């Protein structure tokens, strides 16, 4: 299927990324899953290939790549394993905050090292008692002289234990009404006294994705680490969540197609009752239905990619794509595992990992229920 935003340059990039991942990632996935960490050495190798924060401007060490680069990189990483998605979060979710709202000094300090893999980033939104309700965060950052004093806890933070700097969503004005007007974004750096990492979280899937708790106890953060303006944090988050949820949709569709490719190869080989599983009409119908939905999802997401590149506000449509594609990924995982029979439940078969990995896609970046609340609200309900 021809994708209108893809150029010859993007297709050449895809081949290069595939070759790189086959050599530097595929042989090590099981090892990284056990370690619950993608090693920094891989980040450095990816950076040497121009795959880390390629959208960053040339003056800060990037190549000023367009959004098509992000699409290709995220799709190819997803096809290998969801658990190496921390790089996508760094590239396309965290770094854009620095690019859009950072000062020249902040960009020089963080972006120049973010593109080389010398600095890994994270963003800390979720708290133990606060999920998708960002306005209800309880982490505080109280101004004292030329510093903010941060206190609070964050959880489910991707790249949490390895991050060299973290954008922290916090309340600089805990008494603000409405509450979202008191939210600001502060960058906390590795080594600041009082900033500690909790345990790595033992997740159902995406084991290679470093996810942990972050703890802030009287962390003195220089006022110069404020990102953008005080009290504007919630608005910055709303502006950037469109891209974050679009990236989730891109990854879900890529995961769906990968699971279908794995399963198609398997049902062509597996025998039962004297013939291939793929020869049964039920198998053919189910595979045809899933492939149709995969193409529908890809077509819709590609349309949103084009509109996002054009700078259009597609919050509603992205919310639709996020819940629909992540639900589809979970449905496809169940059916594809079923076609594998008992072998699908064995860890040595890739579909088992895929089944575990897609489970969280309906939860992160705003739950699918929240996506439907956004859609309904914008319908006037």
């Amino acid at each position: 299927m021809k994708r209108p935003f893809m150029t010859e340059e993007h297709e050449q990039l895809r081949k290069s990324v595939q070759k790189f991942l086959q050599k530097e990632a595929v042989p090590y996935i099981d090892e990284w899953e056990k370690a619950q960490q993608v090693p920094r050495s891989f980040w450095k190798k990816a950076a040497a290939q121009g795959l880390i924060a390629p959208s960053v401007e040339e003056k800060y060490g990037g190549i000023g790549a367009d959004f098509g680069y992000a699409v290709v990189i995220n799709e190819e990483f997803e096809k290998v394993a969801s658990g190496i998605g921390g790089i996508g979060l760094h590239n396309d979710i965290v770094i854009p905050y620095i690019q859009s709202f950072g000062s020249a000094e902040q960009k020089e300090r963080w972006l120049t090292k973010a593109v080389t893999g010398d600095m890994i980033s994270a963003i800390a939104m979720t708290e133990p008692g606060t999920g998708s309700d960002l306005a209800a965060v309880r982490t505080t950052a109280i101004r004292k002289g030329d510093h903010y004093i941060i206190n609070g806890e964050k959880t489910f933070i991707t790249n949490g234990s390895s991050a060299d700097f973290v954008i922290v969503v916090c309340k600089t004005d805990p008494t603000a009404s409405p509450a979202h007007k008191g939210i600001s974004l502060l960058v906390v750096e590795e080594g600041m006294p009082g900033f500690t990492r909790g345990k790595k979280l033992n997740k159902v899937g995406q084991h290679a994705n470093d996810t942990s708790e972050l703890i802030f106890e009287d962390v003195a953060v220089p006022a110069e680490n404020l990102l953008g303006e005080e009290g504007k944090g919630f608005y910055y988050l709303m502006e950037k969540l469109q891209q974050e949820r679009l990236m989730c949709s891109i990854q879900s569709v890529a995961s769906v197609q990968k699971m279908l490719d794995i399963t198609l190869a398997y049902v062509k080989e597996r025998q039962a009752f004297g013939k291939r599983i793929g020869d049964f009409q039920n198998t053919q119908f189910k595979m045809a239905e899933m492939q149709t939905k995969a193409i529908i999802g890809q077509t819709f997401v590609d349309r949103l990619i084009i509109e996002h590149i054009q700078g259009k506000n597609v919050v509603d449509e992205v919310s639709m794509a996020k819940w629909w594609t992540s639900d589809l990924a979970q449905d496809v995982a169940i059916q594809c595992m079923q076609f594998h029979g008992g072998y699908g439940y064995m860890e040595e078969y890739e579909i088992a990992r895929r089944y575990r990995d897609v489970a969280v896609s309906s939860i992160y970046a705003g739950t699918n229920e929240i996506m439907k609340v956004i859609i309904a609200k914008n319908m006037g309900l």
Side-chain angles (χ1 to χ4, degrees), residues 258-291:
K258 179 65 175 181
M259 289 187 287
L260 288 175
D261 291 344
I262 292 168
T263 305
L264 181 62
Y266 188 77
V267 299
K268 285 180 177 180
E269 297 295 328
R270 182 187 170 199
Q271 298 276 331
F273 300 100
K275 58 181 179 179
R276 302 180 311 166
I277 293 296
D279 292 330
F280 289 100
Q281 190 179 66
N282 178 68
T283 303
Q284 295 170 0
F285 283 5
K286 290 291 186 184
M287 291 297 292
E289 289 168 6
M290 290 188 289
Q291 187 63 62

Side-chain angles (χ1 to χ4, degrees), residues 8 10-20 72:
E8 182 60 32
H10 294 133
E11 294 306 334
Q12 290 174 357
L13 171 68
R14 189 180 298 280
K15 292 174 183 176
S16 174
V17 175
Q18 289 172 343
K19 183 177 179 181
F20 168 74
V72 170

Side-chain angles (χ1 to χ4, degrees), residues 242 300 303-304 313-323 371-380:
Q242 173 171 299
F300 184 37
R303 193 198 96 189
L304 297 182
N313 183 328
V314 285
V315 169
D316 264 17
E317 292 88 343
V318 165
S319 301
M320 294 172 187
K322 194 271 179 183
W323 83 254
M371 298 303 98
K372 294 171 188 178
V373 166
I374 292 169
I375 298 162
K377 182 178 179 181
N378 290 332
M379 291 172 68

Side-chain angles (χ1 to χ4, degrees), residues 297-310:
Q298 185 73 77
T299 303
F300 184 37
V301 169
D302 281 359
R303 193 198 96 189
L304 297 182
I305 290 169
I306 293 167
E307 293 183 340
H308 181 67
I309 290 170
Q310 294 170 344

Side-chain angles (χ1 to χ4, degrees), residues 47 50-67 69-70 73 87 89-100 103-104 106-117 119 121 165 243:
L51 304 181
I52 303 296
S55 65
V56 168
E57 302 95 309
E58 290 184 20
K59 65 180 176 180
Y60 298 117
I63 59 174
D66 62 29
F67 191 68
Y69 269 66
I73 292 169
I87 286 178
L89 177 127
H90 172 85
N91 287 358
D92 305 308
I93 296 175
V94 183
I95 294 305
Y97 283 93
I98 308 296
Q99 291 175 285
S100 295
S103 64
Q106 289 173 332
K107 291 178 181 180
E108 182 68 34
R109 184 166 22 140
W110 295 315
L111 294 183
T112 54
K113 293 182 179 179
V115 299
T116 61
M119 274 191 157
S121 67
F165 68 91
Q243 178 160 306

Side-chain angles (χ1 to χ4, degrees), residues 6 38 72 85 153 156 182 190 201 256 328 349:
M6 284 289 169
V38 174
V72 170
E153 295 181 27
F156 309 141
E190 165 67 16
L201 300 173
V256 165
L328 177 62
Y349 281 79

